[in-house]
Amino acid sequence: QVQLVESGGGLVQAGGSLRLSCAASGRTFSNYAVGWFRQAPGKEREFVATISRSGVSTYYADSVKGRFTISRDNAKSAGYLQMNNLKPDDTAVYYCAANRLLAVTPKLDRYDIWGQGTQVTVSS
């Protein structure tokens, strides 16, 4: 199976932007759908966005729709989450995850491969 490593987190002011990356190694990346999830202190991990194996299908949580864009580059074995107009409520540890399903899903328990997470902090 693939291994996932996130990067690109950091501290940003409200209204700013960050681009998270998810580098994959191991198995063929294009065989995996990719999802991004986040977990704020004291809260459960929640779905953010997902993209299908080919990149044709995407799906977003309502809270990020219109601000975040998920993408992937199978040639580079990498996934991305472009985050614009960030808000303090976006502060969390962001995780990249993968599964071998054909259809995209926001369900956390359908993802069996996880990265270690990257911290995103948005100051007001």
Side-chain angles (χ1 to χ4, degrees), residues 48-79:
V48 175
T50 184
I51 188 167
S52 61
R53 295 180 176 187
S54 65
V56 170
S57 298
T58 59
Y59 182 69
Y60 296 90
D62 288 343
S63 59
V64 307
K65 202 173 295 182
R67 300 189 297 122
F68 291 10
T69 302
I70 190 171
S71 62
R72 66 188 296 158
D73 186 336
N74 286 341
K76 295 183 178 179
S77 296

Side-chain angles (χ1 to χ4, degrees), residues 7-96:
S7 62
L11 173 64
V12 64
Q13 288 187 332
S17 298
L18 282 174
R19 188 193 194 206
L20 304 184
S21 297
C22 175
S25 61
R27 298 291 187 178
T28 304
F29 183 62
S30 59
N31 287 340
Y32 294 82
V34 173
W36 286 93
F37 293 79
R38 66 187 182 185
Q39 188 166 17
K43 295 186 177 181
E44 294 185 352
R45 194 170 299 188
E46 65 175 7
F47 168 75
V48 175
T50 184
I51 188 167
S52 61
R53 295 180 176 187
S54 65
V56 170
S57 298
T58 59
Y59 182 69
Y60 296 90
D62 288 343
S63 59
V64 307
K65 202 173 295 182
R67 300 189 297 122
F68 291 10
T69 302
I70 190 171
S71 62
R72 66 188 296 158
D73 186 336
N74 286 341
K76 295 183 178 179
S77 296
Y80 307 99
L81 185 67
Q82 177 67 42
M83 306 186 295
N84 297 329
N85 190 22
L86 282 160
K87 304 175 181 180
D89 284 349
D90 295 319
T91 295
V93 176
Y94 282 72
Y95 296 89
C96 175

